[in-house]
Structure formats: C-alpha cells, structure tokens
Amino acid sequence: MSPSRGRPKTGSLPLVLAAVVVLALAVAPAIAGNFTVSLLNDIGIGALVALGLVLLTGVGGATSFGQAAFVGIAAYSTAWLTTAQGLSPWLGLLFALLLTGLSALGIGMLTLRLGGHFLPLSTIAWGLSIAMVFGNVDALGRHTGISNIPALTLGTWSLADRRSMYYLIWLLVGLAYLFSRNLLQSRPGRAIRSLRGGTTLLASVGADAYRVRLSLFVIAALLAGFAGWLYAHTNRFVSPSPFDVRASIEYLLMAVAGGLGHLVGALVGSALVLSLKNALQDVLPLLTQRAGQLEAVAFAALFILLLHFARGGLMGYLMRWWRRRRPAGPGSQETGAPTLDSLAEPVAPLAHRQLPPRGTPILSVSGAVKRFGGLVAVNDVSFDLAAGEILGLIGPNGAGKSTMFNLLTCTLPMTAGSVRFLGRDIVGMPQRQVARLGLARTFQHVKLRPRMSLLDNVALGAHARTGSGVIRAGLRMDRKEERQILQEAQRQLERIGLGDRAHELAGSLPLGTQRILEIARALAADPVLLVLDEPAAGLRRKEKMALAGLLRKLRDEGVTVLIVEHDMDFVMKLVDRLVVMNFGSKLVEGVPAAVRADARVQAAYLGSVA
Ligand code: ADP
Ligand code: MG
C-alpha cells in the first residue's frame, strides 16, 4: 500500500473559496442595490430552512414536505407576541423556538416511527393542517395575517433597515452552518450519519435510532424556527401562504438543487431557487397572464429534471469536478469528514470495562426456539459460554446459525427459550441495551456506512462508551472526548491492519476487508463478548491467518468470542469448543477433534455444500 493512500492532503482551494464567499457576503450590502439586498436576505432565510433539510433528509434520510409549517409556527408566534401582546421580539424568538421545538417533538413522536413512505406522507398531512390553522384562527388574522410586526432592536440600534437585517440574517446562517458542521463531526453526528444504515446497525452499537432521528427532526425544525422569526421581523407581516405545503416543497427543492449531501448545498440551493424564482417572476408575466401557475409548473419541471439528472445537486457536480482534478483531495467524503487534527494530540484513552475472570459463565442459551411462520429456524438449542473462550458455531447453510446470533443479541425476538448474559435474563431486552451490557457483534451481511471513512465507521462503535450530545457537539465542547473516540478508533484500525487507510471510505474496501472493519467497530465498544458471523468469508489465506492471530490475542486479553465460520480448517485450529447445528437443532457439542471425528457431523456436511 502506498503511503499516499493514507490521509488525504487538505486542498487549499475550498478554504480560499470560503474566504471569498464570506468576504463577498460582508461587502455585498455596501455595493448592492436595495432589491439585491432583499433577495440576499430571502436567500439567507431560505438557506437556514434548507440547512435543516440537508441534515434531516440528505444526511438522516427522512424526507419532510412540511418544513414550511415550522417556519410558520415561529413566524406567527413572534408576530402574535410582539403585536397583540406587545412583547419584545427577543422574547418572541425565545417563544418561537420553544413552540417550534415542542411542536417538532410532538409531531416527531407521532410520526417518526412510521416506516417507508408513510413518514413523508404524514409530513404533508401536518404541513397542510398547520397552514390551515394559520388561515382560520381569528387571533392570527385568518387569511389577512398579522401586520405591523415591530422591527428588531439591539439596545437603541434599530434593525428596521434591510441592510441591518442582512447582517443579522447572515450571521445566523454562518453560526447555523458552523453548528451543523461541528455536529456532523462528532459522536451524535456519526449516529445521525448512520441513520440510513438502519435501526439494527445503530442498536448494535448501543444507539437508539428513533431518538437520534427525533433529535435530528427537532434540530431541523429549530433551524426553520430561526428562519421564521427572521422572516417575521424582516417582512414585518405574516400571512398563511408562505408557510403552506407549496412553500415546503420549495424548501425541499432548494436542498435538492444545492446538493443534499453537502451543508453548503443549502446555501447554494437557496440562492439558485430564489434567483430563478425572481427571474421567472420577471420573465413570465411578459409571456402570459397566468404567471403564478406557470411558475409552479416551471419549478415542478425543475424538480423532476433534478431527480433524473442531478441527484447530487449543484454541489454534487462541483465536488465531482474537484475530485477529478485532485483524486486524493478532500471532498472524497460526504458531509462530515473527520477533522484531521483530531488524532495528533494525545489524550487519555477511553475507560475500559472490567472483564469477568476467565472461566466465569457469561452466556447461557437454553431451549432457544425461533419460528418464521411455519419454518423452525432454531429448534430448542442450548449451550453455555465461559469468559475467555472461543466457541465456534458451525453447520451447513441454512442451519440457523445467523438466526441463533440474532436471538442471543436480541436483534430478533425469540419464540421460546431463555438467554442469560452476565447473570441477566436478556430475552425481550432492546438490542441496544444488550449491546451496552458488553455484547458486540458483526453481521453476515455487512452493515457499514460506505460513504463514511474507515475511522468514522469504527468510531461509531464507541458510541455507548461516550456521552456527548447534540449541543455539546455543535458548540465544539466535545473535543476532548472526540479525540479519545478517534484515537480509540485508530487503535482498533491498527489492530486489524488498516491503520494507514483510516481516511478512506469504507465502501472502497473489498467485501472481505469490510467484515474485518466491522470487527474493529465491535472492538471499539470494548466488549465482553464478541459475536462474529462469518468474519473470514472472502478473505485470502494470509488475511485469515492475521484474523486468527487477532482473535487469539483477544482471547488472551480476556475477551470471549463466539464465531460462525465455514472454513473448517480455520475454525478447527482457532476455537476451544464447537457447537454444530443442523436444520435448526443442535447436533453435537465438543472440542474440535471430537467434533471432527463425529459421524453425525460428517453426514451433515457430506449432505451439503459447506
Ligand atoms: P445460517 O446462518 O445457518 O446459514 P440462517 O439462520 O440464516 O442460517 O437461516 C436459517 C433458516 O431460517 C433458513 O431456512 C432461512 O431461510 C430462514 N430464515 C432466516 N431469516 C429469516 C427471516 N427473517 N424470515 C424467514 N425465514 C428466515
Ligand atoms: Mg448465516
């Protein structure tokens, strides 16, 4: 492996580009006309909402067609408080965020467990109903809305002028961007970026996918809340239509057009959509009297074209262009690449678990049964496991080995039987809780995040050993713990011989090596028991020997290993004991030599292609 495949060199162009953009934004109000400044204000407000959507939809994989409703909740709260109640707009902000956050929490709790298309559909439902409330409540001015909303003031300085608002808006956009970027490069951020990997993946590292998704949903809504508050005090007037489902789709269009995979995409997309909208509003009336309807058609067409030809949005294009120019450059990672300096400064390692003394019974499966409809995949299987041993589970294809693993890790509910782990009955316990007790696993069908680096994939494994939340991460108060996590991940990567490829993408590894990467992720959890489903499949001989060496070393350190493996040679040399399954039942249990000599085992294997 050439050393150049290690850390990518940080290119200088994006930094220069960022500096140019910031500078241009800083001087814009001084040179631009009123109209342009107003447009830039709208773009900033749109970018805040789109940023939430990049996080929620682009990173987290949950599509929302109702984001404008959150903008509306915040805009109407501050409008009502500052007009009808005569309160300060700053109290309005507080109240707006509170109400938006609570609404998101409530709506999220009701809808985020819905799978597949039901979540996006439900977002349309609440998007419609909230906009309907604005149009029908007398106190909110029904369809005429609320006018005479006061301008913001800072002490004696009034922000009534669009140029003063401009600075506040873009300051908030900048802060929101930094917060989001910090968040993605953190413990909660890795969980957020793994949401698309599914509930089971997150549960296997002790994380609760539902809670992660809920917090992401609230973050996105709060960003929309800031936008709504700014909207109300910039335009000084609110009415229902800017917060209806059509507006929500426009926000989604911004995120898609800019690039759902990039935080900057929110800004780019907002600029793109709002500039286009402005241009259309100039041109269309010249062509037709039904300009408003034509505009909707134009946007619909744009949406469809984007989905067909440019799913990565404008940022996707730019990144591909940049990567072609600099193959090893930054940008080879999706949103939230780890900070490269995190590994430089040494910190105290993460605390280790006290492993049970060698020989203590740690796992006891008795009478395990799993039925899938009429099929009995696991039929009355019992075995015990003592600390510090390597137990092999073998059997022909379809014997029920993976299902057995899913039962004892609580990934699947058991039909009957009991499993005790570290003295506790774990049947019915949530999978993530079992993981937190010290049971780490890998999957026969790998569950890695292909667009995340090796380092980040492994760092996800340390989720349950650490505790930084969204706020700490967003404000970068988690840096010490983050360094501990990344250094732990790097250590585990070195253990499996991939230390010099930490910053490559997991998806670029051959499948066999991806399995080994899953072992590193499991080890990052500091497990008592390591459960490995066919880890050697797809490995070359030398790699298998290295893996066997690693597993023996782990055993010597006191880690217990339970392993399913097809390569008999590999298994026989490695394990202390074997359990053989066939047709869902336990056939034989014993030391390798005895199992190898057993006539029933030979018959089972001769009858299959194992
Ligand atoms: P092994 O890992 O030993 O090859 P599995 O545990 O994957 O075997 O499968 C055992 C049996 O259970 C197979 O017949 C398989 O088709 C069936 N099976 C496994 N998972 C499911 C499922 N989710 N639904 C229905 N049948 C399943
Ligand atoms: Mg299997």
Side-chain angles (χ1 to χ4, degrees):
M1 230 164 288
S2 72
S4 68
R5 298 189 68 180
R7 277 180 201 189
K9 291 178 275 307
T10 311
S12 51
L13 184 63
L15 256 184
V16 172
L17 212 64
V20 168
V21 170
V22 170
L23 202 71
L25 283 170
V27 299
I31 47 178
N34 281 347
F35 178 79
T36 311
V37 173
S38 290
L39 178 62
L40 285 171
N41 283 353
D42 290 345
I43 290 174
I45 292 174
L48 278 174
V49 187
L51 189 62
L53 283 173
V54 167
L55 290 172
L56 180 67
T57 307
V59 182
T63 310
S64 165
F65 291 102
Q67 216 59 11
F70 291 128
V71 184
I73 291 176
Y76 267 95
S77 327
T78 194
W80 181 76
L81 271 179
T82 52
T83 53
Q85 306 301 312
L87 292 178
S88 142
W90 299 101
L91 273 178
L93 173 63
L94 210 67
F95 188 74
L97 291 181
L98 201 70
L99 200 63
T100 315
L102 285 177
S103 315
L105 200 65
I107 293 172
M109 278 161 57
L110 284 176
T111 59
L112 286 179
R113 285 192 201 274
L114 299 175
H117 298 303
F118 294 106
L119 174 66
L121 281 178
S122 74
T123 65
I124 297 179
W126 52 256
L128 280 172
S129 41
I130 290 175
M132 203 111 80
V133 169
F134 297 146
N136 287 290
V137 172
D138 285 329
L140 300 181
R142 300 175 71 100
H143 287 284
T144 35
I146 302 175
S147 46
N148 296 324
I149 299 171
L152 294 178
T153 51
L154 262 176
T156 53
W157 180 36
S158 162
L159 276 70
D161 172 39
R162 55 169 74 82
R163 282 186 167 69
S164 353
M165 263 327 265
Y166 172 94
Y167 285 110
L168 179 65
I169 290 171
W170 284 94
L171 178 71
L172 280 177
V173 172
L175 292 177
Y177 172 80
L178 288 178
F179 184 94
S180 310
R181 214 181 62 145
N182 293 342
L183 174 63
L184 289 181
Q185 296 169 357
S186 72
R187 170 188 182 268
R190 270 185 298 274
I192 289 172
R193 289 157 66 200
S194 304
L195 275 173
R196 283 165 182 270
T199 308
T200 302
L201 164 63
L202 280 169
S204 78
V205 298
D208 184 345
Y210 167 70
R211 279 188 55 178
V212 174
R213 195 172 292 124
L214 189 60
S215 62
L216 182 61
F217 192 66
V218 172
I219 294 167
L222 288 177
L223 287 171
F226 272 109
W229 176 72
L230 288 169
Y231 177 94
H233 293 287
T234 305
N235 294 301
R236 319 273 291 275
F237 164 72
V238 292
S239 66
S241 71
F243 312 119
D244 61 11
V245 168
R246 220 186 59 170
S248 287
I249 291 174
E250 208 170 285
Y251 287 125
L252 201 55
L253 181 61
M254 289 177 190
V256 174
L260 277 173
H262 305 271
L263 293 179
V264 184
L267 224 167
V268 173
S270 175
L272 210 65
V273 169
L274 290 179
S275 311
L276 187 69
K277 193 172 159 178
N278 250 298
L280 284 177
Q281 277 166 0
D282 285 345
V283 175
L284 289 181
L286 305 177
L287 305 176
T288 164
Q289 289 179 338
R290 297 216 170 92
Q293 286 158 6
L294 215 59
E295 186 190 314
V297 173
F299 272 129
L302 176 66
F303 217 148
I304 291 168
L305 284 176
L306 274 172
L307 293 181
H308 266 290
F309 298 108
R311 293 215 181 145
L314 191 60
M315 284 308 290
Y317 263 124
L318 287 177
M319 282 309 191
R320 247 172 295 156
W321 169 80
W322 176 244
R323 237 172 288 159
R324 266 201 298 277
R325 286 184 36 137
R326 298 173 63 95
S332 52
Q333 286 220 20
E334 70 175 12
T335 305
T339 40
L340 296 178
D341 61 358
S342 305
L343 295 169
E345 201 177 310
V347 281
L350 288 173
H352 278 286
R353 219 187 284 272
Q354 185 78 42
L355 290 175
R358 190 171 300 279
T360 16
I362 58 165
L363 181 82
S364 168
V365 179
S366 67
V369 177
K370 179 66 188 179
R371 284 198 198 94
F372 293 111
L375 177 92
V376 188
V378 171
N379 187 8
D380 194 18
V381 173
S382 308
F383 61 90
D384 294 304
L385 193 52
E389 72 171 332
I390 303 184
L391 178 68
L393 184 59
I394 62 170
N397 267 326
K401 307 178 297 293
S402 294
T403 306
M404 188 64 244
F405 273 12
N406 287 336
L407 295 184
L408 62 88
T409 52
C410 293
T411 309
L412 276 178
M414 209 141 103
T415 310
S418 89
V419 181
R420 294 186 73 78
F421 177 57
L422 299 175
R424 279 194 223 205
D425 182 2
I426 59 169
V427 174
M429 209 184 249
Q431 187 196 349
R432 61 170 190 284
Q433 218 166 315
V434 178
R436 281 172 176 262
L437 287 178
L439 201 163
R441 69 168 300 181
T442 66
F443 297 90
Q444 182 175 356
H445 304 288
V446 286
K447 290 186 189 292
L448 287 166
R449 299 313 300 139
R451 303 282 302 147
M452 261 159 67
S453 69
L454 271 60
L455 189 68
D456 268 340
N457 268 290
V458 177
L460 179 67
H463 188 89
R465 294 169 76 184
T466 47
S468 291
V470 165
I471 308 235
R472 283 183 67 83
L475 300 177
R476 263 180 113 75
M477 288 156 63
D478 64 337
R479 288 299 105 177
K480 179 167 168 271
E481 188 186 79
E482 181 64 12
R483 271 200 296 277
Q484 288 180 310
I485 295 174
L486 292 183
Q487 280 176 25
E488 171 73 14
Q490 180 68 29
R491 242 193 319 275
Q492 300 304 349
L493 275 176
E494 272 152 24
R495 230 171 171 180
I496 57 163
L498 291 174
D500 57 344
R501 300 177 70 176
H503 295 279
E504 289 180 34
L505 300 185
S508 69
L509 295 178
L511 197 57
T513 319
Q514 291 190 11
R515 289 177 194 284
I516 304 301
L517 187 61
E518 280 207 333
I519 299 181
R521 181 179 67 205
L523 287 176
D526 189 29
V528 176
L529 170 59
L530 194 57
V531 175
L532 308 174
D533 200 344
E534 304 203 13
L539 291 189
R540 289 184 293 243
R541 217 181 86 80
K542 257 180 81 178
E543 293 169 324
K544 282 188 185 180
M545 278 163 58
L547 173 61
L550 170 68
L551 297 180
R552 281 195 199 97
K553 203 163 146 273
L554 286 172
R555 171 179 55 189
D556 295 344
E557 289 169 17
V559 178
T560 316
V561 181
L562 180 55
I563 179 172
V564 164
E565 190 41 64
H566 268 301
D567 181 339
M568 280 303 139
D569 228 31
F570 177 87
V571 155
M572 293 287 175
K573 283 187 198 142
L574 176 71
V575 302
D576 300 306
R577 268 185 323 128
L578 279 167
V579 168
V580 188
M581 283 180 74
N582 196 19
F583 296 120
S585 304
K586 186 168 94 174
L587 195 62
V588 180
E589 180 175 349
V591 294
V595 167
R596 195 196 285 274
D598 196 294
R600 286 168 298 176
V601 176
Q602 286 172 1
Y605 271 89
L606 283 175
S608 80
V609 286

